[in-house]
Amino acid sequence: MNRKILKFIFSYLQVHLFAGIFNALMLIYLVLTDPYFYNLDFKANGFTEKYEYFLLMTFTIPLILTIFFCAYQIIKSNLKSDKIILTITSILGIVTFIYFDKFLKKALFFFGNVLLSISIITMIYIVLFLLAFKLEKKFTNTSI
């Protein structure tokens, strides 16, 4: 496969998984530190007070960290073509994280215990992120 196509695929996966990892880590933090979020059932009592905090922790902070990660990847890159690929995959990865990650995580909630499900999802995302990172290094550096 072409090096640029592989760079595109692996960079996209890294961005999406990076955002997903921090989203899941923040969700774990919420579940552990705030009794309101323990079952993620969003009871009417307290929802209006907790909703902004929930969005901050599970959307805004992961999004900001992902933007920093993308900026670092783009700045770190030496080739102009790689910078263009990284810019496109950054935008695509962030957009798909915003719109599709919640559906993916809901599909992976297979245990009755919320904390266990989120922990397993986080571990899966971390393994996939590391795999995408290593495979990108392997395939894009040797096939030049």
Side-chain angles (χ1 to χ4, degrees), residues 10-30:
F10 290 129
S11 296
Y12 163 75
L13 287 173
Q14 287 175 21
V15 171
H16 184 88
L17 292 169
F18 184 88
I21 288 167
F22 278 97
N23 173 274
L25 288 173
M26 292 295 157
L27 199 54
I28 289 171
Y29 174 79
L30 282 177

Side-chain angles (χ1 to χ4, degrees), residues 6-22 65-66 69-70 72-74 76 86 89-90 93-94 96-97 125-126 128-138 140:
L6 289 172
K7 178 80 173 171
F8 184 88
I9 292 168
F10 290 129
S11 296
Y12 163 75
L13 287 173
Q14 287 175 21
V15 171
H16 184 88
L17 292 169
F18 184 88
I21 288 167
F22 278 97
L65 291 173
T66 303
F69 172 74
C70 294
Y72 172 75
Q73 292 286 83
I74 293 168
K76 181 180 88 162
L86 289 170
T89 57
S90 296
I94 289 171
T96 57
F97 164 72
Y125 271 46
I126 290 170
L128 290 175
F129 176 80
L130 293 174
L131 187 65
F133 189 77
K134 286 185 186 247
L135 288 175
E136 181 208 6
K137 295 291 182 201
K138 178 180 177 184
T140 58

Side-chain angles (χ1 to χ4, degrees), residues 23-144:
N23 173 274
L25 288 173
M26 292 295 157
L27 199 54
I28 289 171
Y29 174 79
L30 282 177
V31 168
L32 290 174
T33 59
D34 193 336
Y36 177 80
F37 294 110
Y38 187 73
N39 290 322
L40 292 179
D41 52 4
F42 300 103
K43 299 173 207 146
N45 183 21
F47 180 73
T48 54
E49 298 87 32
K50 301 287 185 172
Y51 185 68
E52 286 183 20
Y53 184 61
F54 177 78
L55 283 180
L56 173 72
M57 297 300 284
T58 62
F59 180 74
T60 307
I61 291 174
L63 191 61
I64 290 169
L65 291 173
T66 303
I67 290 169
F68 284 138
F69 172 74
C70 294
Y72 172 75
Q73 292 286 83
I74 293 168
I75 292 169
K76 181 180 88 162
S77 177
N78 294 329
L79 300 174
K80 185 175 182 173
S81 62
D82 283 352
K83 288 182 188 242
I84 293 169
I85 290 170
L86 289 170
T87 302
I88 293 169
T89 57
S90 296
I91 294 168
L92 186 63
I94 289 171
V95 168
T96 57
F97 164 72
I98 291 169
Y99 289 108
F100 299 116
D101 196 62
K102 59 186 164 224
F103 300 115
L104 182 62
K105 284 199 174 103
K106 282 182 187 176
L108 293 174
F109 261 74
F110 42 82
F111 292 113
N113 185 336
V114 172
L115 188 58
L116 181 61
S117 292
I118 298 170
S119 299
I120 290 173
I121 291 168
T122 306
M123 286 187 272
I124 291 170
Y125 271 46
I126 290 170
V127 168
L128 290 175
F129 176 80
L130 293 174
L131 187 65
F133 189 77
K134 286 185 186 247
L135 288 175
E136 181 208 6
K137 295 291 182 201
K138 178 180 177 184
F139 289 121
T140 58
N141 288 338
T142 59
S143 61
I144 294 176

